[in-house]
Amino acid sequence: GESVGLHLPTLSVQEGDNSIINCAYSNSASDYFIWYKQESGKGPQFIIDIRSNMDKRQGQRVTVLLNKTVKHLSLQIAATQPGDSAVYFCAENRQGDDKIIFGKGTRLHILP
Amino acid sequence: GAGVSQTPSNKVTEKGKYVELRCDPISGHTALYWYRQSLGQGPEFLIYFQGTGAADDSGLPNDRFFAVRPEGSVSTLKIQRTERGDSAMYLCASSLSLGVTGTGELFFGEGSRLTVL
């Protein structure tokens, strides 16, 4: 069978708890960041984005935090639900460039 | 449907054969992206079209890979002389232009899984 995400870091969270998924980026020229969610057998799906002139942005049950000093991005999911089980990717866009570059993912596993 | 459509969903081929993967983007989306995703990895950028032209093909791994979008809508990714290392999920995404909308919301298809034996 297929072992999707065998080598991905995994975060296991109790249902109802908050999840925090972290991402580090290396390019100082990146000024726009996006979080995507990928469920098994599907393409990635946009969750939330943030520009470098902000350090926090909130959506429905999700918050993205950006720390430009240490080039760190995090995604917080409140009251994690079974439907949040997926692989989460941070992605970046660099100044003057229209392509979007994906980072390594994190698998979120929800414990009952 | 209204989403991005990719065909075939699965393709098994033999080493050395030629393969075409098709992407039908969301109507009106001027930007179209191809990514390759191996097991346990994030999507790897291959090429980006703005309209009919390839605005950035810096991610194509070598000259066996080529993509076209002749009428600014449907795109075809072409792989010549396939190798076992080409086995992966090939994802297509479309969007309104990042430079116009200011958003990086890409709409992905479900991918074409290529297996080279």
Side-chain angles (χ1 to χ4, degrees):
Chain A
E2 194 176 80
S3 301
V4 176
L6 183 62
H7 303 292
L8 285 172
T10 298
L11 174 67
S12 295
V13 174
Q14 204 77 36
E15 182 179 347
D17 286 353
N18 297 337
S19 302
I20 300 176
I21 301 170
N22 296 304
C23 176
Y25 65 95
S26 58
N27 192 330
S28 303
S30 293
D31 68 344
Y32 175 59
F33 304 89
I34 315 114
W35 279 99
Y36 278 86
K37 171 185 180 183
Q38 187 174 27
E39 297 176 345
S40 183
K42 296 185 177 180
Q45 181 180 19
F46 175 92
I47 301 173
I48 191 168
D49 58 0
I50 189 168
R51 295 207 167 270
S52 59
N53 61 353
M54 303 173 69
D55 53 20
K56 180 178 180 179
R57 190 163 188 222
Q58 288 185 292
Q60 186 177 10
R61 279 203 310 120
V62 294
T63 301
V64 56
L65 299 178
L66 175 62
N67 185 329
K68 295 180 287 294
T69 303
V70 295
K71 298 192 184 70
H72 183 268
L73 195 65
S74 69
L75 176 71
Q76 300 180 2
I77 304 173
T80 311
Q81 302 169 357
D84 296 327
S85 181
V87 178
Y88 290 80
F89 295 99
C90 61
E92 62 187 285
N93 170 249
R94 303 168 188 181
Q95 283 180 351
D97 192 344
D98 279 347
K99 64 177 181 264
I100 292 172
I101 303 298
F102 283 76
K104 297 176 183 177
T106 297
R107 175 174 295 284
L108 179 62
H109 177 60
I110 312 304
L111 301 169
Chain B
V4 175
S5 176
Q6 290 189 247
T7 54
S9 54
N10 274 288
K11 176 71 177 178
V12 180
T13 191
E14 293 179 342
K15 180 173 179 261
K17 298 290 187 184
Y18 169 78
V19 166
E20 287 191 352
L21 306 175
R22 175 188 166 111
C23 174
D24 201 338
I26 292 172
S27 177
H29 280 186
T30 55
L32 186 146
Y33 298 76
W34 283 100
Y35 288 84
R36 177 169 70 174
Q37 187 173 28
S38 300
L39 291 179
Q41 303 293 320
E44 172 194 5
F45 172 80
L46 296 178
I47 186 169
Y48 157 66
F49 288 89
Q50 184 60 249
T52 60
D56 188 331
D57 65 357
S58 62
L60 295 177
N62 51 60
D63 62 5
R64 295 186 299 105
F65 288 74
F66 190 70
V68 296
R69 195 186 185 198
E71 298 177 358
S73 179
V74 171
S75 176
T76 304
L77 178 66
K78 307 181 181 193
I79 310 173
Q80 297 178 318
R81 304 182 304 281
T82 52
E83 299 178 356
R84 293 194 179 90
D86 298 335
S87 295
M89 177 71 82
Y90 288 83
L91 293 166
C92 176
S94 72
S95 74
L96 296 171
S97 170
L98 178 64
V100 170
T101 63
T103 174
E105 182 169 6
L106 303 185
F107 295 84
F108 280 86
E110 297 201 338
S112 292
R113 179 163 295 286
L114 175 65
T115 302
V116 182
L117 301 177

